[in-house]
Amino acid sequence: MLAGFTKETMKTRNVRPKKTWCCLKKTLLLKVNPRRPEILKVREASDFIRMGGIVAFPTETVYGLGADASNPTAVLALFEAKKRPLDNPPIVHVETPRDVIDLTAFVPSGAEELMEEFWPGPLTLIFKKSAKVPDVTVAGLDTIAIRMPRNEVALALIRESGCPIAAPSANLAGKPSPTTAKHVFDDLDGRIDAILDGGPTKIGVESTVLDVTVNPPMILRPGGTSVEALRRVLGEVRLHSFVTAEMEVSLGETRSPGMKHRHYAPKARMVLVEGSLESVIDRINGLLGDYKLKGNRVGVLATDETAARYKADIVESLGSRFNTETIARNLFAALRKFDEANVSVIIAESVPAEGLGLAVMNRLRKASGYNIVRA
Ligand code: TXA
Ligand code: MG
């Protein structure tokens, strides 16, 4: 496994995050037109980035929490603001594929084709990094994750800031990723400088992370670009065992630092029920009865076709089971709704793991802490 940027290495290199977060900041809310973002509002946000501040912004996948990728102090403050472990690097967002040259040691030829085909869009590529990139931005790894988002607000912010923007998802570490500015505000009000509100995000799950330093390329995280679409361009693409994992993967097998951290987790405990549809419905109703008897407030995460079959305290539908794009778009907001409704248990249906469904199932399994029941 590649060496991580741990608290220990931080100490020995004598770089410590500034404790600016002990005092609450005023978080500025800037509502912008998602298609034609008002330049003055974007500049208000980019002024913060250029001064080493932190700004949340929409992308086509989820909201990102941005800092100047070339400013180590700003990136450290970013980790601090979202309480992110220092060994899990953010994705560096660029305005054009040309920006990749400065950030990388070398661009494999297959990667150029991928950028042409899928950028701007929900595909993050892992390259060998160049010496210019600060260690903290890549958490001490010798590789860097880069993507060009398909969102006018994000692209305008990068352009006006005049630097690549390091941005993990704009949630507190461990929580579901934010798909609206309100989700960001709920998690990070008082901890960041500004939020650019460009409305709800279109895709709803994060980008696909593809390692192009290996041959054939390997998917480290399934996301907004489907495996099927990547295979059409690349031919062979491998899936890291973690992508389809049904249990916790041991640390030695991780290639992407994010794999080993708890993710997407709602406050309530969550059970994911997998199997054929009718047996899933029966099993969920059985579990529902058991949990209710024990005095729990229970939520069920269902789909349009099945929602009426459950008598839970709350039933949230993700949309039609046959439309994985809608399901992906609604997933994280639904998990946050259960939190607001104060349920103590969430029982979730599985969905078909095709197209974006693979990313949805990966998030559901992680959100449940791999608490999976086979129906
Ligand atoms: O759609 C997205 O990807 C969103 C938006 C804001 O762009 N961003 C996002 O960032 O999801 P984050 O930080 O929550 O997830 C980045 C993932 C993590 O799993 C991290 O471990 C992985 O990318 N990653 C970052 N740098 C890496 C590297 N050099 N090698 C392998 N994995 C890396
Ligand atoms: Mg994240």
Side-chain angles (χ1 to χ4, degrees):
M1 199 182 67
L2 297 164
F5 197 95
T6 60
K7 276 194 180 130
E8 273 319 298
T9 52
M10 299 264 308
K11 245 183 246 159
T12 52
R13 290 180 206 180
N14 209 16
V15 275
R16 295 197 136 267
K18 275 195 186 149
K19 287 281 175 203
T20 39
W21 307 110
C22 54
C23 36
L24 230 60
K25 310 185 156 209
K26 170 126 187 60
T27 299
L28 186 65
L29 260 177
L30 296 161
K31 209 169 174 57
V32 284
N33 182 318
R35 274 172 300 280
R36 276 174 288 106
E38 299 82 349
I39 191 71
L40 291 180
K41 291 189 186 168
V42 175
R43 284 196 185 137
E44 260 189 281
S46 65
D47 283 348
F48 284 118
I49 300 273
R50 282 190 286 102
M51 291 184 308
I54 296 169
V55 175
F57 60 96
T59 78
E60 77 281 38
T61 56
V62 300
Y63 273 72
L65 190 62
D68 177 351
S70 62
N71 178 343
T73 315
V75 176
L76 276 172
L78 176 66
F79 278 96
E80 188 97 340
K82 74 167 271 171
K83 300 187 180 171
R84 176 154 171 138
L86 288 163
D87 63 354
N88 190 13
I91 292 167
V92 175
H93 294 67
V94 295
E95 194 211 339
T96 95
R98 281 190 305 279
D99 298 339
V100 169
I101 296 165
D102 240 24
L103 296 167
T104 56
F106 137 91
V107 178
S109 58
E112 278 172 31
E113 208 181 331
L114 289 170
M115 289 187 263
E116 207 160 289
E117 190 73 26
F118 294 103
W119 282 11
L123 178 66
T124 294
L125 299 174
I126 306 291
F127 299 97
K128 289 283 176 201
K129 83 171 193 84
S130 79
K132 282 188 193 164
V133 182
D135 275 351
V136 62
T137 303
V138 292
L141 301 177
D142 62 356
T143 51
I144 181 169
I146 308 179
R147 86 177 190 100
M148 177 185 174
R150 189 165 63 218
N151 179 289
E152 290 309 321
V153 182
L155 292 172
L157 179 68
I158 304 168
R159 186 161 52 240
E160 292 301 320
S161 301
C163 58
I165 292 185
S169 49
N171 50 287
L172 277 176
K175 297 252 260 152
S177 295
T179 53
T180 66
K182 180 177 183 298
H183 297 162
V184 180
F185 188 81
D186 290 346
D187 277 13
L188 296 170
D189 178 33
R191 302 179 68 84
I192 61 176
D193 293 296
I195 303 173
L196 277 167
D197 178 356
T201 60
K202 291 207 165 74
I203 295 177
V205 289
E206 304 88 339
S207 61
T208 300
V209 177
L210 182 71
D211 186 351
V212 292
T213 68
V214 292
N215 199 359
M218 183 184 272
I219 294 180
L220 304 181
R221 177 179 75 179
T225 301
S226 70
V227 187
E228 294 87 344
L230 288 171
R231 289 208 168 119
R232 275 196 291 277
V233 173
L234 285 176
E236 202 181 347
V237 179
R238 281 182 300 160
L239 290 179
H240 191 281
S241 58
F242 192 80
V243 170
T244 49
E246 291 176 16
M247 58 179 112
E248 208 93 54
V249 170
S250 80
L251 300 192
E253 292 168 40
T254 62
R255 280 187 66 85
S256 187
M259 291 175 179
K260 65 176 184 249
H261 297 291
R262 185 142 192 256
H263 271 302
Y264 316 115
K267 278 185 261 167
R269 67 183 284 209
M270 184 166 153
V271 190
L272 175 63
V273 184
E274 298 191 21
S276 66
L277 187 56
E278 279 307 316
S279 43
V280 165
I281 295 171
D282 286 349
R283 192 59 186 269
I284 290 182
N285 277 319
L287 288 167
L288 192 53
D290 295 346
Y291 282 120
K292 293 295 298 172
L293 268 180
K294 288 184 198 140
N296 288 288
R297 195 170 147 73
V298 187
V300 171
L301 190 59
T303 45
D304 286 354
E305 291 79 8
T306 58
R309 311 260 312 257
Y310 306 114
K311 300 226 163 8
D313 294 294
I314 316 183
V315 179
E316 275 294 326
S317 173
L318 292 174
S320 170
R321 318 185 52 75
F322 305 107
N323 189 339
T324 50
E325 287 180 13
T326 310
I327 287 177
R329 193 178 311 125
N330 294 330
L331 176 68
F332 290 137
L335 293 179
R336 281 178 183 259
K337 270 191 207 150
F338 285 123
D339 273 353
E340 278 168 21
N342 268 317
V343 297
S344 49
V345 180
I346 302 167
I347 313 175
E349 281 178 4
S350 48
V351 298
E354 285 138 32
L356 289 192
L358 182 66
V360 171
M361 282 306 291
N362 170 272
R363 305 309 187 267
L364 284 173
R365 286 171 176 158
K366 283 176 137 189
S368 75
Y370 298 94
N371 188 8
I372 301 169
V373 170
R374 293 235 142 256

